Amino acid sequence: MILCAVTLATGQFFPKDAVPWLLGDTSYAGMGMEYWFSGLIRLAQYAVTLLVILGFFLLIPSKGYKWTKIGERTLYVYLLHGFIIKTIEAAASPNVLDWLADNYLLLIVFSLGICLFLGSYYIRKFTRPIIELRL
């Protein structure tokens, strides 16, 4: 319930130019928000993030399933997905990237495909010597 509410609210009210707010690498002045309540906005974002994390923890099953193996390989997904994303950014035109950014359902399906691909047994088999260095 929490995840659905936050997802709907984020999709409805999240501005496209708010990436610096999420990254936290830009000063308030750099974002054009030199107001006294700017820190409260970021604090509210952290509170919503905490709610989403807690809501996500409620979805985690207590027993293992078929897709649990992919969940065990999230380090591979985390470390390798950037290569796919940067390749797409370099190969695609800005018009295609803008079109893709506006199609949320396609992005979700594409993200799931990347996770399944990078979490597969074969990716782990071939990249394990690089990812999990044995010292």
Side-chain angles (χ1 to χ4, degrees), residues 1-74:
M1 182 71 173
I2 294 171
L3 291 176
C4 290
V6 170
T7 301
L8 289 174
T10 302
Q12 186 67 28
F13 300 112
F14 191 78
K16 288 201 177 264
D17 58 350
V19 174
W21 283 95
L22 296 176
L23 295 178
D25 64 347
T26 307
S27 67
Y28 295 120
M31 294 185 292
M33 292 292 290
E34 298 178 12
Y35 308 110
W36 66 269
F37 57 85
S38 299
L40 296 175
I41 294 172
R42 183 161 283 163
L43 183 65
Q45 288 177 332
Y46 290 147
V48 169
T49 302
L50 182 63
L51 280 175
V52 170
I53 290 170
L54 294 175
F56 181 74
F57 283 155
L58 293 174
L59 294 176
I60 297 173
S62 58
K63 63 178 185 171
Y65 290 98
K66 188 176 185 178
W67 59 83
T68 304
K69 288 292 182 191
I70 296 171
E72 292 173 353
R73 300 181 192 128
T74 54

Side-chain angles (χ1 to χ4, degrees), residues 73 76 118-129 132:
R73 300 181 192 128
Y76 295 87
L118 294 177
S120 69
Y121 168 78
Y122 295 106
I123 294 296
R124 180 176 183 233
K125 179 180 175 183
F126 294 117
T127 60
R128 187 174 187 182
E132 298 180 30

